[in-house]
Amino acid sequence: MGTGFLEVVVTAAFGAMPIVGARVTIFSGDTVLYELVTDESGLTETVALEAPPLSLTLDPDFDGIPYSVCDVKVEAEKFITVTIHDVEIFDTETSILPVNMSPAQYAGETVELFIPPHNLVSKEKRQMDVPKETSVFPGVLNEVIIPEFITVHLGRPDRPARNIRVPFTYYIKNAASHEIYSTWPPASLEANIYCIISLTLNRIFTEWYRIRGHNFDVTNSTQYDQMFVEGGQIFQTIDRMVDMIFNRYIRRQGHLEPFFAEYCDGRRVTCPGLWQWGTVTLANQGMNALQILRHFYPSDVQIVETDNIGGITESFPGYPLRPGMSGPAVRTMQMWLNRIRANYPAIPSITNVKAKLICRNELLRNS
């Protein structure tokens, strides 16, 4: 057996407010494995759990389940108790379980969430609605924007189901964590994540569902889109990679819209697009992410980056901020960090900015 790791992050309002002192119980069946308490940032300590050997996640011919599962119960005063079943644990990997708590309406209120089998071991087959490609897209949007939030329909597009609104980066991390194994080579992970980002942005850019009368951007049905699991874990390797590349996507030369990067596992199901297991073989042969993409897609596909990020334009000046820089953009970022620190006190205080804010507020009051 191998060893995986689990860290639980307990917040309200999708990460805006950490919940301090939440009681977290990790158990398997009727056996309690750990009893933890969240710190000032809403985090538990990272704990070790048994998992099948790493090699099974790299073997396309293995037909079993290459991960272990555990259940997690989270309790906090004045909040609904949440129990999440079948949290996935991979050998050598850290699973990050973000638990979003909602205020309780009455004492003893509880909710249970069940994580379905990982898509690479699931029996469901994809039947994606592939849009017609065009070099001059006639849609409403005339530029690609990385949205701050995305609305996900928790079911097939033609069936009633709840819609949830989640941060875009969280959606990408969640989808990637349930579509591919985080133990795969970096170039393989990167290529697959570009596909997930591009497919998602294509749905948003073309307004694929909204122009058909729906009030959501994408579904969590793998028959139509890609896997998203409410309450599902995110793997640390994927979490870090998405933070680096979330504003990059695939497009074809001469095209404005993000490329609809159709993909499948390439083992149980084959398709005209990328084969997920095939990316592992190509990465092991030394190919980088772009070379892998061009192996499966037209040779003119390219990876492009945009700084057009919805919802955070005021704090991002359009260029990276580096040590030693000064000016309005730096002051804006310092003010944002101090505001975030109100909810996350583990972030060090920027005292000179506080003094400037006090002086500014005093001037405003006296003017």
Side-chain angles (χ1 to χ4, degrees):
M1 292 293 286
T3 301
F5 305 90
L6 175 64
E7 176 185 82
V8 183
V9 186
V10 185
T11 63
F14 285 107
M17 184 182 75
I19 298 179
V20 183
R23 301 178 302 280
V24 178
T25 305
I26 301 171
F27 52 97
S28 176
D30 295 327
T31 303
V32 174
L33 304 177
Y34 294 97
E35 292 180 313
L36 310 170
V37 177
T38 57
D39 63 14
E40 61 184 3
S41 297
L43 302 176
T44 66
E45 63 180 284
T46 302
V47 297
L49 296 162
E50 287 189 346
L54 170 67
S55 59
L56 299 180
T57 66
L58 303 174
D59 182 1
D61 296 321
F62 177 67
D63 288 327
I65 298 177
Y67 55 87
S68 62
V69 296
C70 65
D71 300 332
V72 177
K73 182 178 182 180
V74 182
E75 303 168 278
E77 188 176 356
K78 298 182 180 179
F79 288 92
I80 298 172
T81 296
V82 178
T83 301
I84 301 176
H85 298 275
D86 297 331
V87 178
E88 297 169 6
I89 307 296
F90 285 83
D91 185 19
T92 75
E93 285 292 301
T94 297
S95 297
I96 303 171
L97 184 66
V99 181
N100 182 58
M101 304 287 278
S102 300
Q105 300 296 318
Y106 55 86
E109 193 172 359
T110 63
V111 63
E112 290 189 275
L113 298 173
F114 295 84
I115 299 177
H118 193 283
N119 197 47
L120 289 175
V121 301
S122 170
K123 303 301 183 183
E124 191 172 52
K125 295 184 178 181
R126 288 192 199 279
Q127 296 174 332
M128 287 185 170
D129 286 340
V130 181
K132 184 179 180 181
E133 194 175 77
T134 173
S135 59
V136 182
F137 190 77
V140 175
L141 300 179
N142 58 10
E143 60 181 345
V144 177
I145 299 173
I146 305 295
E148 186 175 2
F149 290 90
I150 181 172
T151 301
V152 185
H153 184 69
L154 300 178
R156 292 166 54 102
D158 55 350
R159 294 181 182 174
R162 287 191 304 115
N163 293 343
I164 61 173
R165 188 169 179 262
V166 297
F168 176 80
T169 53
Y170 169 74
Y171 169 81
I172 299 298
K173 293 173 182 180
N174 184 301
S177 293
H178 296 92
E179 283 284 355
I180 54 179
Y181 293 149
S182 59
T183 55
W184 286 359
S188 170
L189 292 179
E190 188 176 355
N192 278 277
I193 291 171
Y194 283 139
C195 292
I196 292 169
I197 294 171
S198 300
L199 191 151
T200 305
L201 290 178
N202 182 279
R203 290 295 200 216
I204 294 170
F205 182 86
T206 62
E207 298 184 303
W208 181 258
Y209 290 111
R210 293 190 181 275
I211 63 176
R212 289 164 172 75
H214 300 296
N215 59 345
F216 51 82
D217 300 305
V218 69
T219 76
N220 76 339
S221 169
T222 58
Q223 289 186 299
Y224 295 89
D225 295 293
Q226 50 205 1
M227 195 168 190
F228 172 89
V229 178
E230 184 181 16
Q233 76 287 319
I234 293 169
F235 297 105
Q236 189 176 73
T237 302
I238 289 173
D239 178 76
R240 291 173 175 173
M241 184 169 286
V242 171
D243 282 340
M244 291 189 295
I245 67 172
F246 73 95
N247 62 332
R248 301 175 195 169
Y249 60 94
I250 313 165
R251 75 176 180 197
R252 296 190 66 183
Q253 292 181 10
H255 293 246
L256 174 62
E257 74 271 18
F259 182 65
F260 188 84
E262 183 181 3
Y263 61 85
C264 56
D265 73 344
R267 186 184 67 171
R268 292 177 294 109
V269 179
T270 58
C271 61
L274 177 138
W275 294 8
Q276 293 167 315
W277 276 108
T279 66
V280 178
T281 301
L282 297 177
N284 286 332
Q285 292 174 358
M287 285 192 182
N288 62 32
L290 182 58
Q291 291 170 328
I292 291 172
L293 293 172
R294 287 178 173 172
H295 177 86
F296 291 104
Y297 299 127
S299 60
D300 65 345
V301 296
Q302 53 189 194
I303 299 169
V304 296
E305 181 174 319
T306 179
D307 293 328
N308 197 357
I309 303 171
I312 62 172
T313 52
E314 181 181 353
S315 63
F316 182 63
Y319 53 85
L321 300 179
R322 306 187 187 282
M325 296 179 71
S326 60
V330 174
R331 288 195 296 274
T332 298
M333 184 59 66
Q334 290 173 329
M335 287 188 288
W336 276 107
L337 288 172
N338 270 330
R339 172 59 189 88
I340 294 170
R341 184 179 180 275
N343 285 354
Y344 289 87
I347 297 175
S349 172
I350 305 175
T351 54
N352 64 319
V353 175
K354 283 187 175 180
K356 291 178 181 178
L357 285 173
I358 292 171
C359 292
R360 188 190 70 172
N361 292 337
E362 286 295 325
L363 287 171
L364 289 173
R365 279 196 290 269
N366 295 329
S367 61

